[in-house]
Amino acid sequence: MPRFHVCVLGGSCGNRMIIIADHLSELFLQKGYDCRVTSISVWECFSFPPSADLLLQLLPAYKEEEVECPTINIRPFLQDIDDPLTLQKIYFEIEKNSEQRALTPANVLG
């Protein structure tokens, strides 16, 4: 599976944002996903949408049409860091995108 960049976006929930990003990194590793997880606070940098393959938002900072990647509302993680429905949405996007990347001409040709 190609390297995949996941960005966790938060705001005043700064500590929780970092805890969630670290937790997701561990979960992705356990599932065998080759993901780089970063976090960004809109309170510190709101001038542009972050560049990523998947944007996970703890607050609704950007609409999907404003960014070049899928976005998922992960607000349920504020109460349950292992919210099954939210995790399922994230895993689905990673797997879907990874399958699409594997079929691109550059990857098919070697």
Side-chain angles (χ1 to χ4, degrees):
M1 186 182 311
R3 190 95 166 135
F4 191 82
H5 179 199
V6 177
C7 182
V8 176
L9 184 133
S12 60
C13 51
N15 288 341
R16 188 70 171 168
M17 173 185 65
I18 294 168
I19 290 168
I20 290 169
D22 288 345
H23 184 64
L24 288 172
S25 291
E26 183 60 34
L27 292 176
F28 297 159
L29 185 62
Q30 290 172 10
K31 289 191 70 67
Y33 296 152
D34 185 13
C35 292
R36 176 172 63 107
V37 181
T38 59
S39 59
I40 193 166
S41 170
V42 294
W43 295 114
E44 296 171 10
C45 178
F46 191 73
S47 60
F48 61 96
S51 175
D53 297 309
L54 178 61
L55 183 60
L56 306 178
Q57 300 190 86
L58 287 165
L59 65 148
Y62 299 102
K63 296 177 183 169
E64 193 149 350
E65 56 269 10
E66 295 176 312
V67 295
E68 298 178 1
C69 66
T71 66
I72 297 175
N73 176 341
I74 61 166
R75 194 160 177 82
F77 283 165
L78 293 174
Q79 291 185 330
D80 178 4
I81 198 165
D82 287 313
D83 179 67
L85 183 57
T86 305
L87 286 173
Q88 181 181 14
K89 289 177 186 177
I90 293 168
Y91 296 154
F92 175 80
E93 281 299 327
I94 291 172
E95 290 170 9
K96 180 178 80 170
N97 194 296
S98 296
E99 288 172 9
Q100 289 172 349
R101 285 178 176 206
L103 295 175
T104 60
N107 292 329
V108 172
L109 297 176

